[in-house]
Amino acid sequence: MGAVADCFASIIGSDTGLLHTVQKARLLATTDLPVLLQGETGVGKEVFARAIHDGGDRLGPFVAVNSGGLPRDLLASELFGYVDGAFTGARRAGMVGKIEVANGGTLFLDEIGELPLDLQPYLLRVLEGGGIYPLGSTTARTSRFRLIAASNRHLRSEVAAGRFRMDLFYRISATSLHIPPLRERKEDIPVLVEYFCRRVADRRGGPVRRFTVEALRALVAYPWPGNVRELSNAVEAMTLFTEGDEIGRADLPADIADMVKSPSLVPFGPSDSTLQRIECDAIIAALGTSGGNLTRAAMDLRIARSTLYLKITKYSLGPILRDTRRRPH
């Protein structure tokens, strides 16, 4: 299980729904069952697909095709390939299709809900072991691969509307995984921001930028319609255009800043509960004991590191954290 677990290290978060999906994906990685990944654009469906592929024992390649990113005829050529003379402008030696390239490995069909209806029977024939017929050929070729499909559409509704074949739907959805959108797991945003900041720093060789409490609160409040992909792009842009080691609220992209109301930075008021005060005091004590080491503090508090990060943001404890880290230990 250790090797499989490492394959999922790039999936960041401690949200219960996300962890449940990761747990199921780990189990599926050791099987040959087709998998349907469902979730909004930008939630990380290809990240899951690659992790499932890497966690298995297939020796062949991971081959990705976006079913909605190409015109119909070009998509048919990409999937099934073609032989010499199949159509005007075809390569003299023909072209091997991605389905054949995936032999022994995994074929990832992204946005399968956009696969043209007239191409769906040909894909179904391949999945049922009927062979691949390159365009212009009457000779079948074989390819044994694991299928992982993904869609941001509700495929049952597409079937009911006549835009997706029922038999193909049942063929690809033997196991289905739902990847939750970022707005449903906002406690993961601070740790994702830290992860993306470190990734940018590693790639560019510069320092790891830190977000102020005000900036993090704004990011948590934003609904993230583009999900994790949008957050990753936003963090990279802010680290590129911001001078200094800290990124503040004033450095947020205009579309994010305009949508998010200014959050209150007062840690507590007269109406706050005793439990909140106890929790805040416990966090401050753990930060002091650990010297500002979030991993150790989270272990002492028996909570996830990402949860601790979110509570530090909630209670505006960023200055206390920075002060604790500056003290000699």
Side-chain angles (χ1 to χ4, degrees), residues 1-281:
M1 289 297 293
V4 175
D6 292 339
C7 299
F8 290 86
S10 60
I11 301 174
I12 307 299
S14 60
D15 170 74
T16 302
L18 179 70
L19 293 180
H20 178 66
T21 301
V22 171
Q23 182 182 22
K24 291 178 65 176
R26 291 188 199 277
L27 295 174
L28 289 171
T30 61
T31 75
D32 288 328
L33 291 171
V35 179
L36 175 61
L37 301 174
Q38 296 184 295
E40 298 175 5
T41 298
V43 295
K45 294 188 288 292
E46 184 166 349
V47 175
F48 265 87
R50 287 185 178 275
I52 292 171
H53 167 76
D54 291 340
D57 56 2
R58 288 186 172 271
L59 301 178
F62 177 89
V63 180
V65 180
N66 189 322
S67 305
L70 298 172
R72 186 263 179 209
D73 290 342
L74 185 54
L75 177 59
S77 298
E78 282 287 305
L79 285 174
F80 304 104
Y82 58 81
V83 297
D84 182 19
F87 52 86
T88 302
R91 297 177 186 173
R92 186 179 297 272
M95 186 183 80
V96 177
K98 294 296 178 62
I99 293 176
E100 191 172 351
V101 173
N103 187 35
T106 299
L107 177 67
F108 174 56
L109 286 183
D110 198 7
E111 304 306 344
I112 195 171
E114 298 183 33
L115 185 69
L117 193 60
D118 66 323
L119 291 184
Q120 293 177 23
Y122 297 99
L123 175 61
L124 182 62
R125 179 195 295 172
V126 174
L127 296 177
E128 292 179 342
I132 312 162
Y133 287 86
L135 302 183
S137 174
T138 58
T139 303
R141 300 177 183 178
T142 59
S143 180
R144 304 300 180 194
F145 58 91
R146 199 256 180 89
L147 176 70
I148 301 178
S151 180
N152 61 7
R153 298 183 180 185
H154 191 272
L155 289 186
R156 286 188 181 274
S157 298
E158 295 295 296
V159 170
R163 291 187 291 267
F164 201 84
R165 291 179 61 102
M166 181 181 295
D167 49 4
L168 180 58
F169 170 72
Y170 286 119
R171 186 66 179 78
I172 66 174
S173 62
T175 55
S176 179
L177 297 179
H178 171 71
I179 305 173
L182 189 56
R183 66 179 176 276
E184 293 181 4
R185 54 185 189 101
K186 290 198 168 188
E187 66 270 24
D188 288 338
I189 290 176
V191 72
L192 280 167
V193 170
E194 181 183 13
Y195 171 78
F196 292 138
C197 284
R198 291 188 179 279
R199 190 174 68 178
V200 170
D202 289 342
R203 189 168 65 243
R204 295 179 180 168
V208 178
R209 301 290 181 85
R210 301 293 181 184
F211 279 69
T212 65
V213 171
E214 298 91 336
L216 276 176
R217 283 189 167 186
L219 295 181
V220 171
Y222 182 67
W224 298 107
N227 291 291
V228 178
R229 183 186 300 148
E230 183 185 7
L231 176 62
S232 173
N233 292 340
V235 169
E236 181 157 5
M238 283 184 277
T239 58
L240 176 63
F241 294 114
T242 303
E243 297 181 359
D245 294 335
E246 280 195 336
I247 298 174
R249 184 179 171 84
D251 301 312
L252 298 177
D255 55 340
I256 295 178
D258 291 344
M259 187 176 291
V260 178
K261 295 180 180 180
S262 179
S264 171
L265 297 181
V266 180
F268 290 103
S271 62
D272 287 299
S273 69
T274 302
L275 285 177
Q276 283 182 309
R277 293 177 182 275
I278 293 173
E279 182 177 58
C280 183
D281 289 343

